[in-house]
Amino acid sequence: MEENAIISQPKTKQQITPTTGKSRDEMRIFLFEFFGMALFAYGIICSQGSDEFLALFFFASVCLAAPFSGAHVNPAVTLAMVLSRRVNFAQAVIYWLAQFSGALCGACCCYLILNEVDSPQVKSTEYSWILSDISGEAFGTFTFILFILIQTDPETTLTPGGQPMTTYVLVALALYFSREFTFHSGGCLNPGMAVSLQLFQSFQTGDRQRMDFLWVYVGGPLGGGFGASVFFELFYKKQIKRL
């Protein structure tokens, strides 16, 4: 793996036995994606809507997980990495399990420590409002993940030969600015976070109706991640090679 591909496929050491080495890599991916997602979930709730604090907590999550799991910290990012052939589907399942369970753990910690949990929610059932929400989630995620794909590919990175910390900072800034496109929906951009926080809060409050429009916060980001991967592989990367 290339040194500057931070949020992508995790680094692997030389294996003595294939089975043992693979199991250790999978466990490492699961643990650090789990803790990275839990920290980010806790930070989202503690940030109380502050874009600056949310970006800082995301930066901390990336710093924690990147050297070990690649710090996807988002199922939509993992989907884009699968489509870009940087991780395989079996690895993606491990990422997704860790991300959903980690976000749920972060929500539990917030409730136990702060007695407070918040989750993204559609504020109106009007067609135009829902369309704006899902479009914002898709466009914001597209922008965020496209930057990750560009920055973590050695052929397109904006900082060739740069230090990993540079990429951590740039990716956190990409999340900050991408959320500015999604003020209407709250800027979740993360289906794992949305599902876990919504599940926890709906069971904690007994309000099952919160789940009715959860698909907005799942379909939008996954669609944005899919679109970013297709655009990057079929257009952006080919255009860079022609320069």
Side-chain angles (χ1 to χ4, degrees), residues 94-226:
I94 297 172
Y95 276 102
W96 287 328
L97 289 173
Q99 289 158 358
F100 283 105
S101 57
L104 194 59
C105 177
C108 291
C109 289
C110 260
Y111 182 71
L112 292 173
I113 298 172
L114 306 174
N115 196 30
E116 181 179 353
V117 174
D118 193 17
S119 61
Q121 186 177 16
V122 172
K123 297 178 181 179
S124 173
T125 58
E126 293 183 7
Y127 173 78
S128 59
W129 189 285
I130 294 174
L131 181 61
S132 295
D133 281 352
I134 195 168
S135 299
E137 288 291 311
F139 184 70
T141 306
F142 174 91
T143 305
F144 174 54
I145 293 181
L146 178 60
F147 179 82
I148 290 176
L149 293 172
I150 292 171
Q151 179 61 20
T152 57
D153 189 299
E155 296 181 357
T156 60
T157 182
L158 304 177
T159 56
Q163 295 298 316
M165 189 60 65
T166 303
T167 295
Y168 301 167
V169 172
L170 291 176
V171 168
L173 288 174
L175 177 65
Y176 174 83
F177 287 110
S178 296
R179 292 185 75 247
E180 297 302 310
F181 294 117
T182 62
F183 67 92
H184 198 273
S185 66
C188 183
L189 313 183
N190 191 322
M193 199 67 69
V195 169
S196 298
L197 295 183
Q198 286 271 30
L199 277 174
F200 184 91
Q201 194 165 22
S202 65
F203 280 102
Q204 185 253 325
T205 61
D207 182 10
R208 302 297 188 268
Q209 291 185 342
R210 297 183 65 91
M211 305 292 292
D212 291 348
F213 294 96
L214 181 58
W215 59 270
V216 170
Y217 295 98
V218 175
L222 290 180
F226 176 84

Side-chain angles (χ1 to χ4, degrees), residues 40-97:
F40 189 31
Y42 189 89
I44 286 175
I45 298 168
C46 290
S47 69
Q48 297 184 338
S50 168
D51 292 340
E52 291 78 11
F53 280 110
L54 190 147
L56 285 174
F57 273 106
F58 178 69
F59 173 73
S61 299
V62 170
C63 288
L64 170 67
F68 305 99
S69 72
H72 295 188
V73 201
N74 187 328
V77 173
T78 301
L79 174 64
M81 294 299 174
V82 172
L83 295 174
S84 298
R85 300 179 296 279
R86 301 190 194 184
V87 300
N88 58 46
F89 185 76
Q91 289 175 316
V93 172
I94 297 172
Y95 276 102
W96 287 328
L97 289 173

